[in-house]
Every structure is written in structure tokens, then in C-alpha cells.
Amino acid sequence: MAPLLREVIFILTFIHVFLHVADCVKVILGDPFIFPVNCEPGESGTMLRVFKDGSTSEVATCHSGKWTVKMYKDRMMINSSKIGFNRTVYNDGGVYELNISKPTDPVQLEVVAAWNVSVVEDETVTLPCHFETTGKTGLTAVWEKNGKSLCVKNSRSDGCSGTPDRLSMSTDWFTHGNLSLTVARVQPGDRGDYFCYVQDEHRNHSGNPAAVRLTVREKKAHQITTPATPVNQTQSCSEQTKPWKISTLVVSVFLLVAVALLVILFFWSHFKSGCDFRKLYKLVGSQHTSQPNEATTTV
């Protein structure tokens, strides 16, 4: 009877643990995670890891407000009364039973490998997610962002319920198993962690969730394009005639210099030849004076 009794107790404990998991907490692979339990002064208790076969292992103990780590010593961190992983690995997923002073609901931790997607704001991006849906009925596709429901779509509806018009999923998601979410006109507030999973008709998760970490980059000045317009439509009259003004000025200066040189040459030539003219005038004048005398003598 004793072995049978132990088996019954084990089964009841196993059922109790899994039926009282309040919420499934999702964390992206490699991110830190803090358990929702405190070890306050005067309190004591344990944190247990419950495996799928029903066996348990002591992860940490709480005594007089201090945590003592038993498992995962290379990755467990203690911050005041808090305890958690400084980085998560895929095998950290599972059920953790927290018994500190008063028992609390177990925590079911899901560690999800995420796609890293980056997009420039105002552009459109698709967050990938795929599930096997063949031969299944009553399925509902669910997208969550930062722990809050964002888009819920079942096999009988064509659009996301209760979401902005910037979000959309393929109308063939159930046929093709493509649950990818398209976000149009991406805004800075869209950055964050997105989780995608499928629920059955009893609202139970089906399969492992998918995750996407979206980063939104600010649009740079060189990425803002403006339509080009012809020059003759955007330039002012003064801008259009500016080259002609420059050409006219150059020609005018050239002409002024040429005229100045001609004037200087003219005066220089006139001054040089003026001396000869004076000699000529003197000679002519003397001949003109002597001619009347010679005429009188002849008569």
C-alpha cells in the first residue's frame, strides 16, 4: 500500500501544480527574468523547479529575508528581496513553485527564441509567425505585445479584432499556417516584444509561441524625399538672369578698358606729332611772311 500511496500523492501533487498555474510568463531567450516573489525580513521558504515527470529540485531558499541559491548559480541574481535569472537559456522554461511564508500560484515560464526585426519609421514591416494548422478546428491566432493582447483572429473572422487599421494578418492564415503580422506606417511606439501563438477551442496554448523583437529607427534627413521640379519653375527672374548680368558686366569692363587704351594711345600719338606740327606751322608762317616782300620788290 505504501508504494501505491506514494504514487497517488505524486499524481495529486503533479495535477495540483499544473492546474494552479495562474499565468504563462513569456521571456525572450537571453533576456533577464525576475520571479514575482519577495523574500522579506522574517520570511522563509523555498523555490522549487517542477519537471515534466513530476520531480522537483530546490532552486533557492529564503531565510530571514535573504536568498540562498542552490541551482543555476552561474546565472541566478539576487537584488534585495528579489531573485531571478540574469540571462535565460532555453531549458529554463518550465514550472516554478514559490512557497515563501504563504504559498503562491506556480509560475510557468516560457523561454522563446525571437526574431530581431528593424524598420525605419513610416515604413511597413511584417513580423514572421508560422504554425501547423492542418486538420485542426476552432483555432484562434493571438498576437501579444509586451504582455497585452494586440491581435486576436479565429478561423471564422477575416480581420484582427479591437486593433488599429495599421495591423493586418493574411486572410489565408488558417489555410497556409501563416500567422505573420503586418504593421503599416510604423511609429516609434510600435517598438517592443511581440509574441504569437495559437489557442485551441478551450483557450489552451497549442505549440510553442513565436517571438519578434521590433526596433524602430528614426528617419534621417537624407531619407526624406521631395519631388524634383524644373529649374524654370522654381528659380526667380533674378536667378534666371544672373548669368546674363555677369556676362554683360564682363563685356562692359572689357570695352571700358579698350576705350581707355585707345584714348591714351590717341593722346600719346597727338602729343608726339604736335611738336612736328609746331615746326611746320613756324616754317609755313615764315614763308607766308616773306612772300609779300618779295612780290613788292619784283613790281
Side-chain angles (χ1 to χ4, degrees):
M1 291 295 295
L4 179 60
L5 181 61
R6 284 197 299 269
E7 291 181 3
V8 170
I9 293 175
F10 165 75
I11 293 174
L12 291 177
T13 303
F14 180 80
I15 294 175
H16 170 77
V17 169
F18 279 88
L19 287 181
H20 288 80
V21 173
D23 292 311
C24 177
V25 182
K26 304 176 185 64
V27 60
I28 290 179
L29 178 65
D31 280 2
F33 175 76
I34 302 298
F35 287 94
V37 62
N38 294 336
C39 181
E40 302 292 350
E43 293 184 338
S44 62
T46 60
M47 176 190 297
L48 302 178
R49 171 79 184 266
V50 183
F51 298 97
K52 291 183 178 180
D53 61 359
S55 62
T56 61
S57 292
E58 194 175 66
V59 177
T61 59
C62 169
H63 181 70
S64 299
K66 293 183 179 181
W67 285 104
T68 301
V69 178
K70 302 293 185 178
M71 293 178 62
Y72 317 121
K73 293 182 179 180
D74 60 328
R75 295 183 294 107
M76 295 296 288
M77 61 178 178
I78 298 173
N79 184 6
S80 185
S81 62
K82 300 286 187 181
I83 189 171
F85 294 106
N86 56 20
R87 58 180 178 85
T88 52
V89 299
Y90 195 77
N91 286 339
D92 289 335
V95 177
Y96 295 81
E97 195 173 38
L98 311 173
N99 299 309
I100 309 299
S101 293
K102 54 182 180 180
T104 59
D105 288 332
V107 173
Q108 183 177 352
L109 181 63
E110 285 191 80
V111 181
V112 187
W115 293 80
N116 289 311
V117 178
S118 180
V119 64
V120 176
E121 60 179 309
D122 291 332
E123 292 187 355
T124 297
V125 67
T126 297
L127 311 183
C129 179
H130 297 82
F131 274 94
E132 175 60 52
T133 58
T134 304
K136 300 178 181 179
T137 59
L139 294 182
T140 300
V142 180
W143 274 95
E144 293 179 354
K145 178 191 174 187
N146 300 334
K148 296 182 180 180
S149 179
L150 182 68
C151 183
V152 179
K153 187 173 183 180
N154 57 46
S155 57
R156 298 177 300 277
S157 64
D158 293 331
C160 294
S161 60
T163 57
D165 58 0
R166 295 190 299 111
L167 304 178
S168 62
M169 288 176 58
S170 171
T171 55
D172 297 327
W173 74 270
F174 184 76
T175 304
H176 297 164
N178 185 0
L179 285 64
S180 301
L181 181 69
T182 298
V183 185
R185 304 184 302 280
V186 174
Q187 303 300 314
D190 293 330
R191 64 170 56 94
D193 296 334
Y194 293 75
F195 293 92
C196 167
Y197 58 91
V198 172
Q199 289 180 337
D200 60 19
E201 55 187 352
H202 302 295
R203 299 183 64 83
N204 295 321
H205 287 198
S206 177
N208 295 326
V212 179
R213 173 161 289 172
L214 180 63
T215 302
V216 181
R217 306 192 308 273
E218 182 181 359
K219 181 178 289 188
K220 303 298 182 182
H222 67 274
Q223 294 173 312
I224 303 175
T225 57
T226 55
T229 53
V231 175
N232 59 356
Q233 292 185 5
T234 58
Q235 288 183 327
S236 63
C237 294
S238 60
E239 290 175 334
Q240 294 180 33
T241 57
K242 188 174 182 180
W244 294 100
K245 288 183 177 180
I246 295 174
S247 300
T248 303
L249 179 61
V250 171
V251 173
S252 300
V253 171
F254 177 76
L255 290 176
L256 288 174
V257 172
V259 171
L261 291 174
L262 290 174
V263 171
I264 293 172
L265 182 61
F266 172 77
F267 280 105
W268 179 78
S269 300
H270 179 71
F271 175 77
K272 182 178 179 182
S273 60
C275 296
D276 297 334
F277 283 144
R278 284 194 296 270
K279 291 179 180 180
L280 181 61
Y281 289 156
K282 185 177 181 180
L283 179 60
V284 173
S286 61
Q287 291 178 357
H288 179 72
T289 305
S290 62
Q291 286 179 358
N293 297 331
E294 293 177 356
T296 304
T297 305
T298 305
V299 177

